[in-house]
Amino acid sequence: MAYKIFTSQCISCNLCLTVCPTNAIKVVDGQHWIDPELCTNCVGSIHTVPQCKAGCPTCDGCVKQPSDYWESWFTNYNHVVAKLTNKQDYWERWFNTYSQKYSEQLQKRQPQTMAPQKLK
Ligand code: SF4
Ligand code: SF4
C-alpha cells in the first residue's frame, strides 16, 4: 500500500520531494504525485517512518493509499477517532452532555408523585 498525496491539502512546499529515498514523488502538471511503483513506504531505507508523511506541514497532505474497501473504512475511522480524541476534554464534554440528556429523559418518564388528598 503506497502513500498518496491529497492534492487539495498540498501547499506545494516541495519538502517531500527532497526527503523521499526512492524518488517516488513527482510533480505532474504542477501537482505533486507519488508513483506507487516506486513508493516503498520507506521500508528498507534508513528511515523508521514514511518521510513524506512525517515532514508534510499540512498533516493530511501525504496519506496511505487504501488498497480495498475495509482498509479504506478503517483508515477513515482511525482518522476521525484521532481527530476526536485530540480535542481536549472531548470525551468528558460528550459524557457530561450525554448524562444530562439521559437524566432529563429519565425524569420525564418517572410517574408524578401524587400529593395526599385531605379528607373532608
Ligand atoms: S512513503 Fe517513503 S518512499 Fe513512499 S513516497 Fe513517501 S517518502 Fe517516498
Ligand atoms: S510535503 Fe506535503 S505540502 Fe509539501 S509538497 Fe509534499 S505533499 Fe505537498
Side-chain angles (χ1 to χ4, degrees):
M1 182 168 77
Y3 272 72
K4 76 169 186 178
I5 291 173
F6 269 140
T7 50
S8 60
Q9 303 273 349
C10 178
I11 57 171
S12 299
C13 70
N14 289 337
L15 189 125
C16 55
L17 285 174
T18 58
V19 295
C20 177
T22 63
N23 293 321
I25 302 172
K26 318 279 182 199
V27 181
V28 178
D29 294 333
Q31 304 238 303
H32 289 69
W33 171 77
I34 295 176
D35 185 342
E37 298 293 318
L38 295 177
C39 176
T40 60
N41 295 346
C42 289
V43 172
S45 70
I46 59 168
H47 307 294
T48 53
V49 293
Q51 292 301 287
C52 55
K53 180 175 173 57
C56 180
T58 69
C59 297
D60 289 336
C62 300
V63 295
K64 256 187 180 175
Q65 170 83 63
S67 56
D68 66 20
Y69 174 82
W70 286 112
E71 198 165 23
S72 169
W73 190 92
F74 277 109
T75 300
N76 287 335
Y77 173 81
N78 288 334
H79 191 65
V80 169
V81 168
K83 276 195 167 176
L84 289 176
T85 52
N86 274 343
K87 286 188 180 166
Q88 218 170 12
D89 69 9
Y90 172 84
W91 290 112
E92 189 183 333
R93 285 189 290 112
W94 180 90
F95 185 76
N96 288 341
T97 305
Y98 176 82
S99 303
Q100 186 186 346
K101 297 284 179 203
Y102 187 67
S103 64
E104 285 170 8
Q105 291 298 319
L106 278 182
Q107 281 173 1
K108 282 183 193 167
R109 288 174 185 229
Q110 279 177 356
Q112 299 287 326
T113 50
M114 303 281 285
Q117 299 206 347
K118 286 184 182 171
L119 294 173
K120 292 183 183 175

